[in-house]
């Protein structure tokens, strides 16, 4: 090759890419240690910084194992109270209301289905309920379900819709319905007591494994009982209000 001119800077040949040798591998232009190989002296200097994941923060349940008991108990009692209200809405008081049919369940081709899932219910006037089935072939099934229910109204249909004429309540029927309301109210109280029992069981389990102290368990049980008493009083008020509505002529 010709000698470089005087004063010219020598041209260096480009570096050849790293070659993999035994125990080493080329990754993104750097030599790193492979299985069974030795790490190059400058590999640690060029290696990307290690990331450290933050330690998981303790959850509320871990920090306070009884934190969820009272909120969960209150939520379940509120749902039980709402169920009582829905049951009372289905008890007729002499005026036509779609809620009267809320508890009617239809044997729809072998599947027990709520009536409101099979038809739209409207009240064109204060004494009439109109049921518009989404499937007209379900009319006989809906009528049968109404007849065996506690609605005590005989349905009629024109092949497209079902009509229920809501008669005025007799004195005897009003008395029967007040008993029905009392029974529904008692069922609601049983549900509330069931929630209380489940919460008490949870506090007992925490006290047994020393997650909470006995004093804390007693305080929780007292709060749960206070919550239960408050919801039972609400059920009693609902029962009285519905019964007063029924006995009015």
């Amino acid at each position: 090759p010709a000698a470089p001119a005087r004063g010219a800077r020598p041209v260096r040949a480009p570096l050849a890419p790293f070659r993999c040798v035994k125990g080493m591998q080329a990754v993104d232009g750097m030599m790193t240690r492979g299985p069974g190989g030795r790490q190059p002296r400058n590999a640690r200097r060029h290696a990307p910084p290690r990331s450290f994941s933050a330690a998981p923060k303790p959850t509320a349940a871990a920090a306070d194992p009884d934190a969820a008991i009272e909120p969960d108990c209150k939520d379940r009692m509120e749902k039980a109270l709402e169920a009582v209200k829905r049951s009372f809405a289905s008890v007729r008081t002499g005026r036509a209301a779609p809620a009267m049919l809320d508890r009617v369940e239809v044997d729809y081709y072998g599947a027990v289905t709520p009536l409101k899932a099979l038809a739209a219910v409207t009240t064109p006037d204060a004494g009439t309920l109109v049921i518009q089935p989404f499937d007209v072939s379900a009319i006989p099934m809906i009528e049968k379900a109404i007849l065996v229910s506690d609605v005590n109204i005989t349905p009629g249909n024109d092949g497209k819709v079902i009509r229920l004429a809501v008669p005025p309540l007799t004195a005897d029927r009003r008395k029967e319905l007040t008993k029905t309301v009392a029974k529904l109210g008692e069922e609601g109280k049983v549900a509330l007591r069931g929630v209380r029992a489940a919460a008490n069981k949870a506090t007992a389990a925490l006290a047994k494994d020393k997650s909470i102290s006995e004093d804390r368990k007693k305080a929780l049980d007292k709060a749960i009982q206070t919550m239960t008493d408050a919801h039972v009083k609400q059920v009693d008020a609902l029962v009285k209000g519905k019964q007063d509505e029924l006995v009015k002529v």
Side-chain angles (χ1 to χ4, degrees):
R6 180 176 297 178
R9 299 180 63 183
V11 179
R12 295 182 179 181
L15 295 175
F18 288 121
R19 293 172 57 197
C20 291
V21 296
K22 183 177 181 181
M24 304 183 72
Q25 54 188 2
V27 180
D28 294 334
M30 294 193 308
M31 296 301 296
T32 61
R33 179 172 57 192
R38 179 177 297 177
Q39 188 176 22
R41 184 175 300 175
N42 63 347
R44 187 177 299 275
R45 183 176 59 189
H46 297 289
R50 290 184 296 175
S51 61
F52 296 90
S53 58
K57 297 181 179 180
T59 60
D64 193 2
D66 61 331
I69 292 180
E70 285 189 71
D72 180 64
C73 184
K74 182 178 180 181
D75 180 63
R76 293 174 63 187
M77 287 189 178
E78 287 294 329
K79 289 179 180 178
L81 191 62
E82 288 300 319
V84 172
K85 292 178 181 179
R86 288 194 299 270
S87 296
F88 285 179
S90 67
V91 177
R92 70 186 184 94
T93 57
R95 290 181 59 87
M100 291 169 51
L101 304 176
D102 280 355
R103 291 189 294 165
V104 176
E105 294 185 327
V106 182
D107 184 357
Y108 184 64
Y109 296 107
V112 178
T113 309
L115 171 59
K116 58 186 178 182
L118 298 175
V121 182
T122 58
T123 52
D125 55 65
T128 307
L129 283 171
V130 175
I131 304 169
Q132 176 69 64
F134 304 133
D135 174 12
V136 293
S137 69
I139 287 180
M141 307 172 204
I142 294 174
E143 287 186 324
K144 181 180 179 180
I146 293 172
L147 288 172
V148 300
S149 71
D150 59 358
V151 175
N152 288 324
I153 300 176
T154 302
N157 77 84
D158 60 4
K160 295 181 179 180
V161 298
I162 301 171
R163 287 185 173 81
L164 300 178
V166 181
L169 294 175
T170 63
D172 289 340
R173 182 57 181 160
R174 289 177 190 275
K175 290 180 181 179
E176 291 177 10
L177 291 177
T178 57
K179 293 178 181 179
T180 299
V181 168
K183 181 181 178 183
L184 293 173
E186 190 56 38
E187 290 175 357
K189 292 179 185 179
V190 170
L192 291 173
R193 295 179 187 122
V195 175
R196 178 191 62 188
N200 288 341
K201 185 177 180 180
T203 61
L206 290 174
K208 184 177 180 180
D209 63 15
K210 306 301 181 183
S211 296
I212 60 173
S213 65
E214 282 295 328
D215 288 342
R216 177 58 178 160
K217 176 187 178 301
K218 291 178 182 179
L220 280 171
D221 289 343
K222 183 177 180 180
I224 292 166
Q225 184 59 53
T226 301
M227 195 183 304
T228 305
D229 293 341
H231 283 80
V232 167
K233 286 182 180 179
Q234 291 185 63
V235 172
D236 288 337
L238 290 171
V239 170
K240 186 178 185 305
K242 190 67 176 182
Q243 288 179 333
D244 290 345
E245 183 181 357
L246 285 168
V247 298
K248 289 179 181 179
V249 179

